[in-house]
Amino acid sequence: MVIEGVFPRRNFSSSRLVRLLGEAALVEVDASRQDSAERLSLWLNAFDAIKLHAAQQSIGAVAQARPSQARAAGASAVEEEFHRVRTALEKAIAANGPSPAHGKQAKPAHLHAEAVVEADADYAPYRQRYQDQQRQMELRIGPLRDFVRQALSKASPGLRQLAALDAAWEELLGAREQRLLATVPALLERRFEHLRKTRQPGVWLEAFGRELQAVLLAELELRLQPVAGLVEALSNEIKK
């Protein structure tokens, strides 16, 4: 049984985050035609598969019954909270601008001030900025996901099982996802050094700052996808 917006996509490389990193030559975008089930079989051990299968069987059985009417007011509150958290995180990413403050001050009234700043530029502030934003995402999206699951659990029997299935997915794959996302700042450091060596002075540092912002927004989109799927499921239940 496939539920749109909740189960993984058939092609993992369709993620905007992966595409951006691939375009920057930081990761190899896998063009394999394996679907999500085949790829997940490489990630999960036998006990994980049994747990996930039990959750899938449970949701399939409940889906055959006619669900009770969901609470429209609760669904509206869920959508509002989702948009509030997403907007706050997007604003936090945009607030710093393309370039964080460097440890060294630019020399004023210098014809080549930008080139001087670039020559003195260090990746450390960018790494710190990226990791700070990642922590903010973790702190805000985790509770949001729990809040949405609680709302689904109160809406109908089918959505209650969907919430349980999402919790199972998070338990099985959450740690692996965190480990993979934690490698992004190191990948961006490679891009930082590459641009320093290959781009003209006066342009590469700002270009890198814009790329970093784009990657952060793509990571935010990736982290929010499971929650967006749950919100969509609740909305569809209300529209029945």
Side-chain angles (χ1 to χ4, degrees):
M1 181 180 180
V2 176
I3 299 177
E4 185 177 356
V6 177
F7 286 83
R9 304 183 221 192
R10 290 189 175 275
N11 193 339
F12 285 93
S13 62
S14 62
S15 162
R16 187 160 69 99
L17 176 61
V18 174
R19 291 201 306 273
L20 284 174
L21 294 175
E23 289 168 4
L26 297 175
V27 297
E28 182 178 350
V29 178
D30 189 358
S32 171
R33 295 187 178 181
Q34 285 182 311
D35 64 17
S36 59
E38 291 175 308
R39 289 169 183 254
L40 282 172
S41 68
L42 304 176
W43 289 10
L44 306 179
N45 60 37
F47 294 105
D48 293 335
I50 291 171
K51 183 184 298 185
L52 185 58
H53 178 70
Q56 288 176 306
Q57 291 293 101
S58 177
I59 189 173
V62 173
Q64 296 173 4
R66 184 179 182 85
S68 61
Q69 185 176 5
R71 300 176 181 177
S76 178
V78 165
E79 290 184 359
E80 289 177 3
E81 181 64 9
F82 175 80
H83 290 300
R84 187 185 70 81
V85 171
R86 183 178 65 184
T87 299
L89 289 170
E90 288 173 344
K91 287 182 177 179
I93 291 171
N96 289 326
S99 301
H102 301 296
K104 301 177 181 180
Q105 296 290 330
K107 297 179 181 179
H110 195 287
L111 293 176
H112 304 289
E114 290 184 355
V116 172
V117 172
E118 289 183 342
D120 292 343
D122 182 68
Y123 181 69
Y126 290 93
R127 181 191 299 109
Q128 186 64 50
R129 172 188 174 187
Y130 202 98
Q131 292 174 337
D132 287 345
Q133 293 297 333
Q134 284 184 316
R135 281 190 287 272
Q136 287 301 312
M137 292 182 204
E138 292 170 12
L139 287 172
R140 304 197 70 166
I141 294 175
L144 173 65
R145 193 169 180 176
D146 288 339
F147 172 73
V148 175
R149 281 199 294 247
Q150 290 173 16
L152 264 67
S153 297
K154 299 175 183 177
S156 73
L159 291 182
R160 181 166 61 251
Q161 294 301 322
L162 178 57
L165 181 58
D166 178 71
W169 275 112
E170 185 177 23
E171 180 181 353
L172 295 177
L173 302 179
R176 182 184 179 92
E177 177 186 83
Q178 293 304 319
R179 288 195 298 271
L180 290 173
L181 291 175
T183 66
V184 175
L187 293 174
L188 287 173
E189 183 172 11
R190 288 165 46 190
R191 178 63 171 171
F192 180 89
E193 295 300 336
H194 173 75
L195 291 178
R196 185 204 293 273
K197 295 175 182 177
T198 59
R199 292 286 185 93
Q200 278 190 330
V203 296
W204 73 266
L205 190 59
E206 184 177 354
F208 175 77
R210 289 194 298 268
E211 289 184 14
L212 183 142
Q213 277 191 315
V215 172
L216 273 171
L217 289 171
E219 180 173 329
L220 174 60
E221 177 186 306
L222 181 70
R223 287 175 180 265
L224 282 172
Q225 279 182 347
V227 192
L230 296 177
V231 173
E232 182 180 356
L234 181 58
S235 176
N236 290 339
E237 183 78 4
I238 295 297
K239 294 175 183 177
K240 284 184 179 182

